């Protein structure tokens, strides 16, 4: 397990922490009150347990059957579950990756062959700007208000070779509407700008489950979509990030993919297919209710604390932001650490202006209600000065 060089000793000064969000998530991995990372860590449902119980049989099936057939069944089950009926599943435009971050890395390496500048939604999870900067791209911040407010300024489109939007966004939960996606895609089509969508959290919000591929294909723009199974189900980091592209994308995505991997295990594909079928059979609605109940529990446990506000009242994604008023997130983080409770301070989500996040924390909701209850009661005590 990686450690965090920037903050390894108990005595380290947290207010001077200069690592990234994932390094803070490593610190939390050993704690039973880990509300830091956005991965799913709750118990399997009975339906999901049944799929896990079938793994030896799926292994035998994966050994016997052609991998292209298995791969098509897996992405069809997953994309159709989330309303993406028009995705280009039949013609080799769906590349399976070990994770969505691997898919993003492949996209970034292919993109930098043709442009040196990309607009990126702000705020968003910091490994995205880090991956994009890592290949040498220059980033232009695209504020959520601007993105959702109407057509993008012509100067912005002239300045960049691509636009990268996480929808629903992490951590805000903001969803790009069908109307805004259509306009954004039309503007990209007019200017030749590549439109990249990261939809890793769409499974949590039906507002993000309209048929994006229908809109994208109709626009004629050059597009890339990164889909992810990784946030939905508690599968011990077994997951797939799919990198999907338009026929006219004109980027060496398949070549860069071939530099990095041959393929994802057909065992994982069959597991994803089984979990997608269970989700279509009521599991997804149950998951939405589970997250909503956990969100209500967090809000109830933190209700009435002076200065505390809930930043994203309409969010449906599996994380919840709170604003601490005058208090500094890193101070609260440090006090909670003494109780073995871990949340995520929000500064680094604001990759272009970290101080905007200095007074906010993110709470992961894909957890057992018991650990969420204990941890948020501890947070309440800390905020009320114990
Ligand atoms: C979240 C961490 C990285 C990422 C965590 C995340 N992965 N850094 N490759 O999955 O919201 O906690 O997205």
């Amino acid at each position: 397990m990686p450690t965090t060089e920037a903050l390894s000793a108990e005595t380290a000064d947290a207010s001077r922490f200069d690592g990234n969000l994932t390094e803070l998530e490593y610190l939390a991995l050993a704690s039973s009150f880990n509300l830091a990372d956005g991965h799913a860590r709750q118990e399997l449902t009975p339906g999901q347990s049944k799929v896990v119980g079938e793994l030896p049989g799926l292994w035998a099936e994966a050994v016997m059957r052609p991998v292209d057939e298995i791969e098509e069944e897996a992405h069809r089950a997953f994309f159709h579950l989330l309303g993406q009926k028009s995705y280009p599943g039949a013609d080799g435009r769906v590349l399976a990756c070990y994770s969505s971050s691997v898919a993003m890395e492949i996209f970034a390496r292919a993109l930098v062959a043709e442009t040196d500048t990309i607009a990126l939604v702000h705020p968003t999870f910091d490994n995205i700007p880090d991956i994009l900067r890592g290949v040498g791209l220059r980033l232009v911040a695209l504020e959520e208000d601007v993105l959702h407010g109407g057509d993008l300024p012509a100067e912005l489109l002239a300045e960049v070779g691509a636009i990268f939007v996480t929808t629903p966004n992490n951590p805000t939960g903001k969803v790009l509407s069908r109307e805004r996606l259509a306009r954004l895609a039309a503007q990209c089509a007019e200017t030749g700008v590549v439109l990249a969508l990261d939809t890793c959290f769409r499974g949590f919000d039906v507002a993000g489950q309209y048929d994006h591929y229908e809109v994208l294909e109709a626009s004629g723009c050059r597009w890339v979509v990164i889909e992810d199974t990784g946030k939905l189900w508690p599968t011990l980091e077994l997951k797939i990030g799919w990198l999907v592209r338009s026929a006219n994308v004109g980027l060496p995505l398949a070549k860069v993919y071939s530099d990095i991997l041959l393929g994802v295990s057909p065992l994982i594909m069959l597991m994803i297919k089984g979990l997608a079928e269970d989700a279509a059979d009521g599991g997804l609605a149950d998951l939405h209710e589970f997250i909503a109940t956990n969100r209500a529990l967090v809000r109830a446990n933190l209700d009435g604390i002076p200065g505390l506000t809930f930043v994203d009242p309409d969010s449906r994604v599996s994380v919840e932001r709170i604003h601490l008023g005058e208090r500094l997130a890193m101070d609260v983080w440090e006090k909670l650490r003494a109780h073995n409770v871990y949340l995520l301070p929000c500064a680094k989500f604001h990759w272009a202006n970290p101080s905007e996040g200095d007074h906010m924390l993110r709470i992961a909701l894909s957890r057992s209600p018991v650990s969420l209850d204990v941890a948020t009661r501890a947070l309440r005590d800390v905020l009320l000065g114990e």
Side-chain angles (χ1 to χ4, degrees):
M1 199 155 87
T3 55
T4 304
E5 286 149 22
L7 193 64
S8 47
E10 288 292 334
T11 51
D13 181 357
S15 64
R16 287 163 63 187
F17 174 72
D18 196 36
N20 63 36
L21 292 168
T22 306
E23 290 175 299
L24 288 172
E25 294 178 348
Y26 295 148
L27 291 172
L29 285 177
S31 169
S32 18
F33 307 113
N34 164 17
L35 309 186
D37 65 71
H39 295 199
R41 301 186 182 282
Q42 70 273 27
E43 280 176 37
L44 292 165
T45 65
Q48 291 163 353
S49 286
K50 194 161 163 277
V51 176
V52 171
E54 287 161 358
L55 281 173
L58 296 181
W59 184 296
E61 184 182 343
V63 169
M64 264 167 29
R65 295 183 52 207
V67 69
D68 54 338
E69 241 178 69
I70 291 173
E71 190 162 350
E72 235 224 86
E73 289 173 9
H75 55 62
R76 191 184 328 116
F78 187 73
F79 284 60
H80 283 208
L81 167 70
L82 301 182
Q84 306 308 303
K85 297 255 158 71
S86 303
Y87 87 102
D91 53 2
R93 285 197 266 142
V94 182
L95 299 172
C97 306
Y98 301 135
S99 70
S100 59
S101 298
V102 171
M104 284 173 204
E105 173 70 22
I106 292 168
F107 164 68
R109 276 181 56 178
L111 182 72
V112 80
E114 86 159 42
T115 183
D116 57 7
T117 309
I118 184 166
L120 171 65
V121 66
H122 187 259
T124 203
F125 197 80
D126 71 348
N127 85 316
I128 302 174
D130 285 347
I131 286 170
L132 298 173
R133 286 190 190 114
V135 301
L137 288 163
R138 185 174 72 87
L139 305 188
V140 177
L142 173 53
E143 297 296 339
E144 278 194 325
D145 289 351
V146 175
L147 173 65
H148 297 281
D151 282 8
L152 298 192
E155 312 83 72
L156 175 74
L157 289 154
E159 194 188 349
V160 303
I163 295 176
F164 192 110
V165 173
T166 299
T167 174
N169 200 7
N170 176 11
T172 68
K174 273 229 170 204
V175 179
L176 194 64
S177 71
R178 189 184 181 102
E179 294 67 33
R180 281 298 306 131
L181 176 62
R183 279 303 305 153
L184 188 57
Q187 287 194 291
C188 287
E190 279 164 28
T191 52
V193 168
V194 176
L195 178 56
L197 301 180
D198 154 20
T199 61
C200 293
F201 279 87
R202 79 153 99 232
F204 293 105
D205 194 339
V206 292
Q209 294 173 19
Y210 62 86
D211 191 347
H212 287 46
Y213 296 91
E214 186 181 26
V215 176
L216 291 169
E217 291 286 52
S219 77
C221 81
R222 303 163 66 200
W223 58 262
V224 166
V225 180
I226 292 157
E227 305 270 355
D228 186 22
T229 74
K231 300 291 190 292
L232 273 187
W233 304 304
T235 48
L236 300 174
E237 312 295 348
L238 299 174
K239 57 194 173 182
I240 299 177
W242 272 295
L243 179 59
V244 195
R245 64 183 186 276
S246 62
N248 65 351
V249 73
L251 300 173
L253 293 162
K255 165 65 174 79
V256 177
Y257 179 90
S258 76
D259 288 342
I260 292 178
L261 50 87
L262 181 60
V264 170
S265 165
L267 176 66
I268 298 180
M269 293 182 192
L270 286 174
M271 183 191 76
I272 296 301
K273 180 189 160 200
L275 290 170
E277 286 167 355
D278 172 72
D281 195 26
L284 193 63
D286 291 347
L287 178 64
H288 292 168
E289 198 180 307
F290 177 79
I291 296 295
T293 305
N294 280 354
R295 177 171 268 115
L297 170 72
V298 167
R299 290 182 181 175
N301 280 355
L302 302 178
D303 184 41
I305 297 173
L308 184 140
T309 47
F310 300 100
V311 189
D312 309 300
D314 301 323
S315 175
R316 297 280 185 277
V317 296
S318 60
V319 294
E320 171 84 350
R321 280 194 304 171
I322 56 173
H323 194 285
L324 302 166
E326 299 284 290
R327 308 168 187 92
L328 278 169
M330 251 355 238
D331 290 347
V332 176
W333 181 89
E334 208 168 12
K335 285 183 185 144
L336 279 168
R337 196 182 179 202
H339 298 263
N340 209 24
V341 171
Y342 290 85
L343 308 174
L344 218 49
C346 288
K348 295 284 170 170
F349 285 99
H350 297 258
W351 53 269
N353 190 8
S355 65
E356 285 175 15
D358 277 348
H359 299 271
M360 289 188 274
L361 288 168
R362 193 194 75 170
I363 304 171
L365 300 175
S366 290
R367 297 294 189 272
S368 78
V370 174
S371 53
L372 206 55
D373 189 33
V374 174
T376 51
R377 281 168 190 270
L379 172 59
R380 181 184 182 85
D381 290 344
V382 162
L383 292 175
L384 292 175
E386 319 205 31

